[in-house]
Amino acid sequence: GDMPLSLQSKLLRVLQDNEIRPVGGTEPIKVDVRIVSATHQDLREQINAGNFRQDLYYRLDVIPIHIPPLRSRPEDIMRLAQLFLERHAPGQRRLLSDAALKALTHCDWEGNARELENAIERSAILCDHEEITADLLGIELDAEIERASEAANALQTMQNEVTPGQEPA
């Protein structure tokens, strides 16, 4: 999506002719290639704006795979966070606090998985104990989420203090 038009025309020529001409070479070389490409741009908008070649778009758009942003896939956040935690704190027992878990699932993750990985890596480096807290993640909880987290923790504590057959105070 950010490729200059001059390079787009060269790529299109390679895809159409199945050959390349190396710099300084005199003879073309036949190639059989498949292209896997990705972009954060809306290529149809780029075509309308004159920044992307429509013919190249249709050459590349054989099997489109649309991956929604991480903020639209909250179920993936915890799995990715655990994977990144294992990667950046191998052999160390690190747990995410309840507030950290809530912060992870309520963050917008504008930088998608890379931003999440950076937050987990930073927390793994800075954490000097077993539990990773939201402040180590560098994520600010808004007041409503923080209050809900505190209320849930208080309720859990109260339930743990009640013994069977005993009424809560």
Side-chain angles (χ1 to χ4, degrees):
D2 297 316
M3 184 184 295
L5 285 168
S6 60
L7 189 55
Q8 291 177 36
S9 63
K10 292 175 183 179
L11 178 58
L12 180 62
R13 192 172 318 116
V14 168
L15 294 175
Q16 287 175 337
D17 300 340
N18 293 324
E19 61 183 31
I20 59 170
R21 187 179 308 263
V23 175
T26 57
E27 297 297 317
I29 298 172
K30 285 288 189 192
V31 294
D32 182 18
V33 297
R34 301 292 181 264
I35 304 290
V36 176
S37 59
T39 185
H40 64 283
Q41 301 284 350
D42 181 334
L43 291 183
R44 292 173 197 235
E45 276 183 18
Q46 294 298 315
I47 290 168
N48 291 336
N51 297 324
F52 199 85
R53 293 180 59 116
Q54 186 174 22
D55 47 359
L56 178 58
Y57 173 79
Y58 287 115
R59 281 277 183 185
L60 296 173
D61 191 39
V62 177
I63 303 175
I65 300 171
H66 300 281
I67 301 173
L70 188 55
R71 67 182 160 275
S72 301
R73 300 177 286 127
E75 67 280 1
D76 290 345
I77 293 172
M78 292 296 98
R79 284 181 267 177
L80 286 170
Q82 189 60 43
L83 173 80
F84 296 145
L85 197 52
E86 291 167 8
R87 180 182 296 166
H88 295 293
Q92 298 177 23
R93 182 165 162 75
R94 293 282 193 259
L95 302 172
L96 293 161
S97 71
D98 289 341
L101 292 171
K102 285 186 182 7
L104 288 173
T105 57
H106 288 87
C107 186
D108 280 342
W109 300 116
E110 294 294 324
N112 285 304
R114 284 193 183 111
E115 182 183 4
L116 173 60
E117 183 173 13
N118 289 343
I120 297 295
E121 182 179 12
R122 177 177 46 255
S123 68
I125 291 168
L126 296 176
C127 188
D128 59 359
H129 50 282
E130 190 174 290
E131 187 174 62
I132 294 175
T133 57
D135 61 317
L136 286 175
L137 291 168
I139 300 170
E140 302 229 359
L141 289 174
D142 66 29
E144 185 177 324
I145 294 169
E146 196 166 347
R147 277 194 303 275
S149 176
E150 289 171 1
N153 288 340
L155 180 62
Q156 182 66 41
T157 302
M158 198 168 69
Q159 288 174 344
N160 290 341
E161 292 173 355
V162 174
T163 58
Q166 180 186 5
E167 291 292 320

